[in-house]
Amino acid sequence: MYPSPAAAHIVRPLFPSKVGLSFNSKQHKVKGSQMEVTGTDSDGREFKNAEEMWREQTGDGTKKTQWYRDGVSYWQGVEASVDGVLGGYGQVNDADIKGSEAFLQTLFSELFVDGGLGRHLVALDCGSGIGRVTKNLLIRYFNEVDLLEPVSHFLDAARDSLINENHMASDTHKATNFFCTPLQEFTPDAGHYDVIWVQWCIGHLTDDDFVSFFMRAKIGLKPGGFFVLKENVARNGFVLDNEDRSITRSDLYFKELFSRCGLHLYKSKEQRGMPKELFAVKMYALLTDMPRNISKTRSKTQVNRPGIII
């Protein structure tokens, strides 16, 4: 599975097969920095470290602009369907949603007083694509969901699905805003979101833009709010996809970037039920401040959430 195009804002779900088990980048036993690990690209070329790769790919303004332009261009040629945004692996949708829901429920019970009951909850779906995650998950747990997507025909499909075609839409659980903006250019309103969900899209961002995005996005969280990052994870180092202009980072690579963002890793979990030929997928819950005392009181009342919107 591949991360979605970061290229100029592309938040797309899994991207598969070209990368599966065939890319085994090696990792040097050095000082623990992701900048000092080797990686490969989708053509089998090896890089000494991430710095060498980024210098070659985005080393000046012209190259960086082209990196993002190529990424968006790739997704502009993809059909606005579940199978399209999932790279031909539409069958993983159910497992993906179930894994995300279990993770989100745990975070609600541990991080929100009374599991969030009685609160007006707002989420941002980054790299929303056709609204797959919003429609099948987020809109059932949040009163308002904003969608952020750089590919216009994906966002149009999301709007049609969530508003125009959804005659059973609830006034209390709805998609609110549709932002056709690249991830690296987006700045949320201050203190607006309880959860910012970032799935299968951060791989299109360079390391510097990764850090810059989260630094800006932190301001958009309400007190006690958090990020969920769900992404493909390389076994070691990194893997560069030359076709859609994205990078799959290792777990250690991600953790170094989280540190640079000033974020605290609260909890992580690997997604189960994915085809073996795809990258592993991992979910990370990230906090701006590690809570001193996490409430041990969990709501014993089952939250009455709307059912999945068909």
Side-chain angles (χ1 to χ4, degrees):
M1 292 164 112
Y2 262 38
S4 65
H9 36 6
I10 304 264
V11 258
R12 215 97 300 54
L14 326 49
F15 197 43
S17 60
K18 293 176 293 183
V19 273
L21 306 177
S22 59
F23 297 156
N24 281 319
S25 53
K26 301 174 183 178
Q27 182 174 6
H28 292 307
K29 295 181 179 179
V30 289
K31 301 175 183 178
S33 171
Q34 52 81 12
M35 300 301 287
E36 299 172 357
V37 297
T38 62
T40 60
D41 68 10
S42 49
D43 296 321
R45 176 189 170 184
E46 288 201 1
F47 294 94
K48 297 177 185 176
N49 50 47
E51 183 177 7
E52 177 192 41
M53 185 275 292
W54 286 124
R55 185 169 57 248
E56 177 182 298
Q57 300 294 321
T58 64
D60 58 48
T62 300
K63 287 183 177 180
K64 190 172 183 180
T65 297
Q66 193 62 45
W67 165 276
Y68 285 120
R69 183 176 295 156
D70 289 347
V72 173
S73 178
Y74 173 87
W75 290 102
Q76 286 174 334
V78 172
E79 178 184 79
S81 65
V82 171
D83 202 50
V85 298
L86 294 182
Y89 282 74
Q91 73 271 22
V92 308
N93 178 69
D94 288 347
D96 169 58
I97 294 298
K98 289 177 182 178
S100 294
E101 183 164 21
F103 192 61
L104 185 62
Q105 287 178 337
T106 297
L107 298 174
F108 263 52
S109 67
E110 295 180 356
L111 296 176
F112 288 160
V113 175
D114 292 329
L117 285 174
R119 292 177 55 173
H120 185 85
L121 297 171
V122 183
L124 174 65
D125 182 0
C126 294
S128 61
I130 61 172
R132 183 186 65 87
V133 175
T134 290
K135 181 176 181 178
N136 292 295
L137 175 63
L138 300 180
I139 207 166
R140 295 191 286 122
Y141 285 83
F142 296 87
N143 303 102
E144 296 181 53
V145 182
D146 289 345
L147 288 78
L148 175 64
E149 170 56 48
V151 178
S152 60
H153 76 286
F154 284 168
L155 201 61
D156 288 343
R159 186 183 289 107
D160 287 343
S161 176
L162 291 163
I163 296 180
N164 299 338
E165 298 173 6
N166 179 24
H167 303 298
M168 297 180 65
S170 167
D171 289 335
T172 57
H173 289 263
K174 60 186 179 181
T176 305
N177 296 302
F178 296 80
F179 301 113
C180 191
T181 307
L183 209 60
Q184 71 273 15
E185 297 177 12
F186 183 75
T187 300
D189 290 338
H192 189 66
Y193 298 108
D194 296 278
V195 173
I196 295 180
W197 190 279
V198 186
Q199 180 166 352
W200 284 323
C201 59
I202 205 70
H204 288 284
L205 297 190
T206 65
D207 289 354
D208 288 345
D209 284 338
F210 180 116
V211 174
S212 178
F213 166 73
F214 277 105
M215 294 296 283
R216 295 192 312 277
K218 280 196 283 187
I219 300 172
L221 289 174
K222 295 178 183 179
F226 56 89
F227 293 101
V228 173
L229 174 67
K230 186 168 186 176
E231 262 299 346
N232 301 325
V233 179
R235 289 178 174 176
N236 296 292
F238 60 90
V239 178
L240 167 68
D241 184 339
N242 290 321
E243 184 177 8
D244 73 2
R245 314 311 287 153
S246 68
I247 178 177
T248 300
R249 300 170 170 98
S250 68
D251 181 65
L252 289 176
Y253 197 146
F254 273 123
K255 287 175 179 176
E256 177 163 331
L257 291 180
F258 297 157
S259 178
R260 287 174 55 184
C261 295
L263 294 172
H264 301 271
L265 177 56
Y266 172 70
K267 189 181 291 285
S268 63
K269 186 175 182 179
E270 187 169 333
Q271 170 70 50
R272 302 296 182 185
M274 295 296 185
K276 293 181 179 180
E277 70 268 22
L278 303 183
F279 279 129
V281 176
K282 201 162 186 178
M283 295 171 279
Y284 300 93
L286 305 165
L287 309 180
T288 57
D289 297 294
M290 186 58 74
R292 296 179 181 177
N293 295 302
I294 298 174
S295 174
K296 296 181 180 180
T297 303
R298 300 189 180 186
S299 173
K300 297 181 180 180
T301 304
Q302 180 65 36
V303 181
N304 184 22
R305 309 286 185 189
I308 292 180
I309 300 173
I310 303 302

